[in-house]
Amino acid sequence: MTELAKYTKEFSELVRSSDNILLISHINPDGDAIGSQLALYRYLNSLGKKVEMMCPNNLQEFLKWMDGSENISVFIRKRKKCIKLIENAGLIVMLDFNQPNRLGEAESFVTSSQAPRVIIDHHLEPHDFADLIISDPSRCSTSELVHEIVTCLNGSPWRDLPYSESVYVGIITDTGNFEHGAYTGNTMRVVADLLDTGIDRNRVLNTVYNNFSADRMRLMGLALNQRMTVLEEYRTAYICLTKKDLADFNHVKGDTEGFVNLPLSIKGIVFSVFFVEKDNFVKLSFRSKGNFPVNDFASRYFDGGGHLNASGGERYDTLDNTISYFLKVLKENEEMLKKAE
Ligand code: 5GP
Ligand code: MN
């Protein structure tokens, strides 16, 4: 029996013996968090299970079209309801995160729950805050892993259109539509199952990627033209946006999605950083090409984490101070960046 089959068997036993199953995705949920959550929701529902969904904060606009997304309760908006959902849960399944602080304001409620907890995730080194951890960093996305688990439970790939679309959204958003990230032959075999179900690949692509406002494009113009600094000696480029920049372009959640990837297309640049000023902190996104480990960088200096080539973190300080601090710690990584390949 493979590792995955063994864990799936344990998972299946937990599912069988539980009535109220609560699926939780992470704070600032991305396409993979919501995709894997909705896919598992639909499958468990088809087994006749009572399933609920919760997420710590709001979904981005580009994910709201997905089938079932209207059933996700947002903790910061419906606090009382969500606390009840956690209290009533007989089984909690957490998707696409490996640290309890990714539960945001729901953290203490979830971690003190008496219900068995399961993590399904693909980030490195999951923290130990669950009874069963199904984690595989060789998978490009949690959605890929969910599809394998569902296939295992179902005995064959589950042919269900909204389910397949959800898994597909998770895979394309975590790989930048097969441009980066850890996608493998296995991913493509999963994608083959999804395409066999008859999903409209172009419709999904257009809904996820080609659905932005003109203001968002103009904000991207500002970011590249006036807010990007290139540090050739560190093979690094960074973009900073202030609260005022966002307000000037009528920013809505999700508008800056993908900006962090843009500097990586500059010749010689292996490390890209995106700073966004928030109310009392700065949110940072990191991306790299090759072997410069941005997850280590994020956890060492910015209380964050993620994957080898895509990570994030935060700093409770002003934007100017955060940039100065970043430049200082960047210097400590000069040798590694010079040697990165
Ligand atoms: P993004 O830059 O797209 O917001 O995040 C990229 C990846 O970095 C996410 O998939 C997630 O794994 C990780 N990440 C982003 N922000 C944080 C954070 O504040 N803490 C941790 N631990 N991981 C983060
Ligand atoms: Mn993911």
Side-chain angles (χ1 to χ4, degrees):
M1 194 187 268
T2 64
E3 279 275 278
L4 186 62
K6 183 173 130 262
Y7 287 130
T8 302
K9 192 159 178 288
E10 283 180 49
F11 179 59
S12 142
E13 273 152 24
L14 282 171
V15 166
R16 201 161 39 80
S17 58
S18 312
D19 274 335
N20 292 324
I21 305 176
L22 176 61
L23 310 182
I24 309 181
S25 50
H26 58 74
I27 196 162
N28 301 323
D30 55 11
D32 188 30
I34 299 299
S36 57
Q37 187 175 27
L38 293 176
L40 192 58
Y41 174 75
R42 208 168 155 85
Y43 179 68
L44 294 177
N45 254 327
S46 80
L47 301 180
K49 287 284 164 188
K50 183 170 178 328
V51 195
E52 300 279 357
M53 290 183 287
M54 192 198 95
C55 170
N57 64 349
N58 294 340
L59 267 68
Q60 301 178 35
E61 281 307 314
F62 82 95
L63 296 172
K64 288 191 180 160
W65 61 274
M66 290 171 71
D67 196 274
S69 65
E70 67 285 358
N71 298 326
I72 302 177
S73 301
V74 174
F75 191 88
I76 59 164
R77 291 216 330 248
K78 299 206 168 140
R79 213 182 153 86
K80 268 199 191 135
K81 179 183 177 190
C82 288
I83 292 171
K84 268 244 133 17
L85 289 179
I86 297 167
E87 280 170 3
N88 292 340
L91 173 66
I92 293 178
V93 184
M94 300 176 281
L95 295 142
D96 198 38
F97 61 101
N98 62 353
Q99 293 179 12
N101 66 1
R102 305 280 284 154
L103 288 159
E105 291 177 26
E107 177 175 349
S108 62
F109 299 96
V110 174
T111 53
S112 63
S113 152
Q114 296 303 308
R117 287 190 292 273
V118 179
I119 294 173
I120 304 181
D121 183 43
H122 69 133
H123 294 87
L124 289 164
E125 296 164 11
H127 291 209
D128 190 8
F129 61 107
D131 303 280
L132 172 63
I133 301 181
I134 309 181
S135 164
D136 190 343
S138 77
R139 298 312 192 233
C140 79
S141 57
T142 300
S143 299
E144 178 178 339
L145 193 52
V146 161
H147 179 72
E148 290 174 89
I149 293 168
V150 167
T151 303
C152 206
L153 292 173
N154 194 50
S156 60
W158 191 41
R159 297 286 173 90
D160 176 82
L161 197 57
Y163 160 86
S164 295
E165 277 190 351
S166 298
V167 175
Y168 193 70
V169 167
I171 291 176
I172 62 171
T173 52
D174 259 25
T175 63
N177 198 27
F178 307 109
E179 224 178 78
H180 52 71
Y183 71 88
T184 59
N186 189 68
T187 313
M188 292 309 180
R189 282 184 284 277
V190 168
V191 169
D193 288 343
L194 307 176
L195 295 177
D196 284 348
T197 314
I199 59 170
D200 185 342
R201 197 165 59 84
N202 287 324
R203 187 182 69 81
V204 176
L205 198 67
N206 285 330
T207 323
V208 172
Y209 287 111
N210 302 327
N211 215 356
F212 292 110
S213 64
D215 274 335
R216 189 256 184 180
M217 298 306 289
R218 295 197 174 96
L219 180 63
M220 187 190 276
L222 175 87
L224 292 176
N225 201 10
Q226 293 176 47
R227 299 285 186 267
M228 183 173 75
T229 304
V230 179
L231 303 170
E232 272 170 27
E233 65 278 30
Y234 293 105
R235 302 172 74 197
T236 297
Y238 64 91
I239 294 174
C240 304
L241 291 179
T242 63
K243 276 197 283 187
K244 183 175 181 309
D245 291 335
L246 301 185
D248 285 348
F249 290 88
N250 306 308
H251 171 267
V252 293
K253 209 170 163 60
D255 273 357
T256 57
E257 191 74 28
F259 285 14
V260 63
N261 295 312
L262 298 170
L264 284 185
S265 56
I266 303 170
K267 189 174 177 185
I269 297 301
V270 295
F271 183 31
S272 167
V273 187
F274 180 57
F275 299 72
V276 189
E277 185 184 31
K278 303 278 181 184
D279 277 339
N280 58 345
F281 72 105
V282 178
K283 175 76 198 162
L284 296 100
S285 287
F286 305 101
R287 297 289 186 272
S288 67
K289 280 192 302 224
N291 61 3
F292 182 68
V294 292
N295 48 356
D296 288 351
F297 191 90
S299 69
R300 190 168 333 146
Y301 305 114
F302 292 96
D303 196 25
H307 310 273
L308 177 73
N309 297 123
S311 69
E314 56 198 21
R315 187 158 174 94
Y316 283 79
D317 206 336
T318 62
L319 182 57
D320 285 345
N321 287 347
T322 303
I323 296 169
S324 304
Y325 169 74
F326 165 72
L327 293 173
K328 185 170 104 24
V329 299
L330 187 65
K331 206 164 177 43
E332 294 173 17
N333 289 269
E334 186 172 357
E335 283 315 306
M336 214 200 292
L337 283 160
K338 278 190 174 141
K339 282 194 246 141
E341 50 189 329

